[in-house]
Amino acid sequence: MVMSEKGHSHHHNTRAVLNRLSRAIGHLESVKRMVEEEKDCSEVLIQLSAVIAALNNTGKVLLKDHIEHCIVDVWELGDEKAIENLNKAIDRFIK
């Protein structure tokens, strides 16, 4: 858990996020090997979809954690910049 300059904590689910990222990295390394070995394109695409799903699920965990713990704090403090930053992050994440 990391404390911000405003005193609220970040990443309550650090272990879960790291585990999800490790799985995504493993999937991505598998995709790279498959391409190097010139595996069937449909198999590569299926494996690549697992990478995308793993990253999207990681993003969901981070987003939920941020809303439940960080945004509640900054909302109570009236920190409009933090809320604006969240909105920008959501827009980029959901493209």
Side-chain angles (χ1 to χ4, degrees), residues 4-45:
S4 76
E5 66 281 354
K6 299 224 182 218
H8 59 276
S9 58
H10 292 276
H11 309 298
H12 289 78
N13 292 313
T14 300
R15 178 61 33 213
V17 169
L18 291 174
N19 288 341
R20 288 172 181 274
L21 288 173
S22 293
R23 280 195 295 274
I25 290 166
H27 285 304
L28 191 55
E29 288 171 346
S30 177
V31 170
K32 183 180 176 191
R33 276 192 308 277
M34 292 173 78
V35 171
E36 290 169 345
E37 296 169 1
E38 298 183 3
K39 297 287 184 181
D40 180 70
C41 290
S42 60
E43 292 178 30
V44 175
L45 287 169

Side-chain angles (χ1 to χ4, degrees), residues 4-6 8 10 66-67 70-90:
S4 76
E5 66 281 354
K6 299 224 182 218
H8 59 276
H10 292 276
H66 187 56
I67 290 169
C70 305
I71 293 301
V72 170
D73 293 345
V74 297
W75 183 266
E76 290 172 355
L77 296 171
D79 186 348
E80 292 183 25
K81 183 68 175 168
I83 294 167
E84 180 182 322
N85 289 340
L86 172 64
N87 285 328
K88 286 179 186 176
I90 290 170

